[in-house]
Amino acid sequence: MKIFNGAQIHELDQYTIEHEPIQSIDLMERAAKAITRAISEQWGTSTPIVVFAGPGNNGGDALAVARMLAETGYSVSTFLFNISGHLSGDSSVNRQRLRECKRIKSFIEVTQEFEPPQLSADTLVVDGLFGSGLNKPLAGGFASLVKYINASSARVVSIDLPSGLMSDDNTYNIRTNIIRADLTLTLQQPKLAFLFPENQAYIGKLRTLDIRLSDEGIQKIDSQYNIIEETDVHPLLLHREPFAHKGNMGSALLIAGSYGMAGAAVLAAKACLRAGAGKVTVHSPRRNNAILQISVPEAIVQLDSEETIFSEAVDTEDYTALGIGPGLGQSETTAIALISQLRRTQCPIVADADALNMLANHRAWMMQLPKGIIFTPHPKEFDRLEGHSADSYERLTKAREMAERLQGYVILKGHHSALCCPDGHVTFNSTGNAGMATAGSGDVLTGIITALLARGYQQCEACLVGMYLHGLAGDIAAKHLGQESLIASDIIQYLSAAFERLKS
């Protein structure tokens, strides 16, 4: 699913108007019907409704919704803010239609002074002040109105976006001037801002309403951002031949686990095996030998010369993928071994956890990394690499720039993990849940992606399939165990169910 910016949303509207064909006012009517239906499904006609409409097309949607709700039997009070004396064309039409509606409780067009209505706990506010066209923070009277609504006990439904929230970049927004909605009814496509954790307080529950914008237009408009869905993943899966054997199902090497952190190596190795690698070798310090041999008997254990740390790069000629970093520690000896390993490795590489932390401590080494390398940082690990970011949009922008600069892949982990590719495109994951916010979850992802690379997936496909499978296994685990009780090994346990769901 594509994610469009404000300009592209307008372009899609225009494409639909020209090619369906349909008049813009009728397209607005279609959107208003979908919004009205969604509201009436959740709130009965005994709920008093106050509609706040702005001067643009978002306000036009709100005016049409006010009329339709009134005609359905709701008690609707409507305020249209026309401070500048200029409405969009379709808003003007809907203003007239609302004036002619005999069932509307009240309609006030605000041009100067505004006496706000009382908003009680049983009131539903429909927020149609500003939509995807907003490109600067709210100020003045509109900011005051937003604060008034937020301070009330009324429930709030926002049309398309909560007013004050910009569809993409909110780095320099004034967050006290953004509506805090209980429900956001966005039109056709999700907005980029919805995927960032700091914006969840404003969005509330999110529903995406299909208003039948042109499928052809959606296909033609090139988007920098996408959300991967099951239908996108299924064609990427490699088929396992009936006569396959371990020798042609990939040989993965994991360099993981310092003394005291053997669990990270165990989790990565188990995940790598469950994700289909034919052979998995774990290179780890000598003191981890018994733990690994007992915990993962299917894996080959290759012992480092040191007792407690990874100390020397190893030959990777016989391996088809390398995963490095989980639980590795950050001693200077290990750091030198790390860069030596990265420089000499010819097969695809996944670098995670302490591998990233050591690179952050030796910034000059970043220029020595092989093309196609895959980084899987969580936000704090990424900030150590690239410096502090004010918000998720800035961090994502830096991750995109890093992927382009390194000609590699960066999976910025989170509720909606984002894969940043060398060509500047970003794909968000649609699976996963809050129960996966637990120690070891990232080690599991490293093992999964390393296995897929070993199997023969190209880097981009391995990242897409890997992060989707990781989240899907977590979702299945949460369904059976609950989010509170979910631990990283549960994700491994349900990987087989995730694979089966995709294949079926």
Side-chain angles (χ1 to χ4, degrees), residues 373-484:
I373 193 169
I374 298 168
F375 282 6
T376 58
H378 59 58
K380 284 189 177 180
E381 289 168 344
F382 185 81
D383 286 356
R384 292 184 195 117
L385 284 164
E386 291 292 292
H388 174 73
S389 295
D391 65 0
S392 297
Y393 182 87
E394 183 180 355
R395 186 174 295 111
L396 181 65
T397 301
K398 289 179 180 179
R400 279 182 45 238
E401 292 169 350
M402 174 187 278
E404 293 181 77
R405 183 173 67 250
L406 297 178
Q407 283 299 286
Y409 299 83
V410 178
I411 297 179
L412 195 56
K413 292 183 292 196
H415 182 74
H416 294 287
S417 293
L419 169 62
C420 303
C421 296
D423 63 1
H425 282 81
V426 177
T427 301
F428 289 91
N429 191 27
S430 59
T431 58
N433 61 82
M436 297 173 70
T438 183
S441 182
D443 304 324
V444 173
L445 178 63
T446 297
I448 293 170
I449 297 175
T450 303
L452 297 175
L453 291 170
R455 281 281 319 276
Y457 287 81
Q458 296 301 304
Q459 281 94 331
C460 183
E461 287 74 18
C463 290
L464 291 172
V465 175
M467 68 180 186
Y468 189 90
L469 271 172
H470 181 252
L472 181 58
D475 288 341
I476 299 170
K479 183 178 179 180
H480 287 85
L481 306 171
Q483 292 187 13
E484 294 297 336

Side-chain angles (χ1 to χ4, degrees), residues 39 261 295 316 374 407 422 424 431 504:
I39 292 172
M261 293 293 290
S295 300
T316 57
I374 298 168
Q407 283 299 286
T431 58
S504 63

Side-chain angles (χ1 to χ4, degrees), residues 207-218:
R207 283 189 61 183
T208 302
L209 304 181
D210 182 4
I211 59 169
R212 306 194 310 279
L213 296 181
S214 169
D215 287 335
E216 183 180 25
I218 292 171

Side-chain angles (χ1 to χ4, degrees), residues 89 120 264 272 292 313 349 369 421 440 443:
S120 60
C272 196
L292 288 165
I349 301 170
L369 301 177
C421 296
D443 304 324

